Amino acid sequence: MKRTLYTIIFFIACVPLVKAQQRPQYTQYIFNNYLLNPALSGIENYTDVKAGYRSQWTGLEGAPVTGYLSINAPIGKNFIQGDATAFPASGGVNPSSRLYTQQYQAAEPHHGIGLTIVSDKTGPITQTNIDATYAYHLGLTERLNLAVGVSAGFSHNVLNTSQITTADPSDPIFNNLDNNQWKPDLGIGIWAYSSDYFIGVSAQQILPQNLYITSKTNAYQNKTVPHYFLTGGFKVFLSDDVTLIPSVLFKYIKPVPTTYDINMKLSFQDKLWIGGSYRHNDSYAALVGINLSSFVNLGYSYDFTTSALNTVSNGTHEIVIGILLNNRYKVSSAQHTF
């Protein structure tokens, strides 16, 4: 049964009209938009480290499993040593509060750098992306910043042929497999942000590459395609320290139909947040997060599958841990991201 499923997954991946994306998806994108947009490199004035693990469609053999590590930090003397929104050493005003928004000023112009390592395994296919990122942040007005970023690196693609069986072992398609490849990877992004709203546009995997099948007549059957993302969100103050943050993420991956996620996050001061998410024609999700200290925070989500896979899937688990290094202002939650 296991080999049969892997075979099905492999051949579906080779079909040009398959309704699936080639890069992993995340339920807690609001917790780490940096994974989707390199323009967020160095957006906070501390070194932001996050590690995540996602087990999709648990109970289904060969279902996607994703792990990642990301780190990014600002560069720039003015920003690191005290920008216009710097907190005092004790932590200062809760960045989710109405008072913080009233006092907000755009951050000083600065650079940001970072690194992402993402490994995604689906059946016999494992893809690992290693990308360095860079961004420049500029104040457009007294309260609005614009950041432009780029990511560049490599994608390592491995196909475990020992997990594939076919009715015809002499199938010629397997004579042209290159099952261990390194390919260049490139992405770009733009991010506009203020104290109470953000909007971003980004593209990943913008250099299409042929994978696995090296025959010129079959190359079109397994080719990477660009992934485009549009996201935005804003704050609604329910009280001085309770904030509702609606956000949306649109994904366009040709030839897949455009899809979207709708997310609602309810933040209680800078200590705790809960939320819910809807992914079009796929799932509903419950989310919760806690800022344990000025050094570590934690997020968890569970997806309830609504697609046809709900008959064989036990849902999706995703956990993210965040570390705030060099956090000289001792803030326990992000100042510039939501």
Side-chain angles (χ1 to χ4, degrees):
M1 175 64 184
K2 185 175 181 180
R3 287 174 176 261
T4 302
L5 175 62
Y6 285 178
T7 302
I8 293 172
I9 292 174
F10 171 69
F11 281 106
I12 288 177
C14 292
V15 175
L17 296 179
V18 61
K19 295 184 178 181
Q21 63 181 38
Q22 296 167 333
R23 299 292 282 264
Q25 60 186 6
Y26 309 97
T27 297
Q28 297 184 63
Y29 73 88
I30 190 69
F31 194 37
N32 194 11
N33 267 300
Y34 170 60
L35 282 175
L36 303 179
N37 194 325
L40 278 85
S41 304
I43 195 171
E44 302 293 347
N45 45 11
Y46 53 79
T47 300
D48 185 17
V49 181
K50 285 188 171 66
Y53 175 82
R54 177 180 175 86
S55 179
Q56 190 165 321
W57 305 327
T58 56
L60 179 64
E61 289 187 278
V65 175
T66 305
Y68 72 80
L69 176 67
S70 70
I71 179 170
N72 71 91
I75 300 175
K77 184 176 179 180
N78 290 338
F79 187 75
I80 295 175
Q81 296 187 357
D83 68 350
T85 58
F87 279 41
S90 61
V93 179
N94 163 27
S96 296
S97 69
R98 183 181 282 116
L99 179 59
Y100 173 79
T101 298
Q102 293 171 347
Q103 297 178 347
Y104 182 87
Q105 290 180 298
E108 292 287 343
H110 64 281
H111 307 270
I113 58 173
L115 177 71
T116 62
I117 303 174
V118 181
S119 179
D120 184 59
K121 186 178 189 304
T122 303
I125 299 174
T126 301
Q127 182 182 49
T128 301
N129 291 88
I130 304 172
D131 292 282
T133 67
Y134 166 80
Y136 182 69
H137 300 253
L138 177 68
L140 294 182
T141 70
E142 292 183 354
R143 298 177 61 86
L144 177 64
N145 280 96
L146 179 70
V148 179
V150 62
S151 64
F154 298 94
S155 175
H156 185 212
N157 306 281
V158 176
L159 173 64
N160 188 347
T161 55
S162 67
Q163 295 180 333
I164 299 173
T165 57
T166 63
D168 180 9
S170 62
D171 192 323
I173 193 172
F174 286 93
N175 296 329
N176 297 299
L177 288 181
D178 183 0
N179 62 344
N180 192 324
Q181 301 175 321
W182 287 89
K183 299 288 186 178
D185 190 33
L186 185 66
I188 56 175
I190 300 174
W191 192 262
Y193 59 98
S194 186
S195 63
D196 52 359
Y197 66 91
F198 68 88
I199 185 170
V201 179
S202 62
Q204 292 183 340
Q205 205 167 261
I206 61 178
L207 299 176
Q209 301 290 325
N210 294 331
L211 297 178
Y212 308 124
I213 302 172
T214 58
S215 168
K216 293 182 179 180
T217 58
N218 291 316
Y220 77 94
Q221 291 184 321
N222 194 210
K223 192 170 186 176
T224 64
V225 295
H227 290 39
Y228 301 98
F229 304 93
L230 170 64
T231 185
F234 59 94
K235 293 179 181 178
V236 178
F237 294 101
L238 304 182
S239 71
D240 286 343
D241 292 308
V242 179
T243 310
L244 180 66
I245 306 172
S247 62
V248 63
L249 170 66
F250 290 94
K251 293 176 282 188
Y252 176 72
I253 309 163
K254 188 178 180 180
V256 181
T258 301
T259 187
Y260 58 87
D261 294 20
I262 298 175
N263 191 298
M264 285 286 186
K265 176 182 175 184
L266 190 63
S267 176
F268 300 90
Q269 294 189 339
D270 54 354
K271 306 299 182 186
L272 173 72
W273 58 267
I274 59 174
S277 180
Y278 168 72
R279 180 172 293 123
H280 180 57
N281 290 336
D282 182 75
S283 63
Y284 292 93
L287 306 89
V288 62
I290 184 170
N291 301 316
L292 297 173
S293 68
S294 61
F295 178 71
V296 62
N297 48 48
L298 186 68
Y300 170 78
S301 63
Y302 179 79
D303 294 20
F304 301 86
T305 305
T306 59
S307 68
L309 287 172
N310 63 4
T311 59
V312 293
S313 166
N314 297 325
T316 297
H317 300 273
E318 183 176 318
I319 187 168
V320 181
I321 184 170
I323 305 294
L324 288 66
L325 299 178
N326 194 29
N327 185 6
R328 67 189 303 266
Y329 302 113
K330 305 300 179 184
V331 296
S332 56
S333 64
Q335 298 178 65
H336 303 290
T337 54
F338 297 177

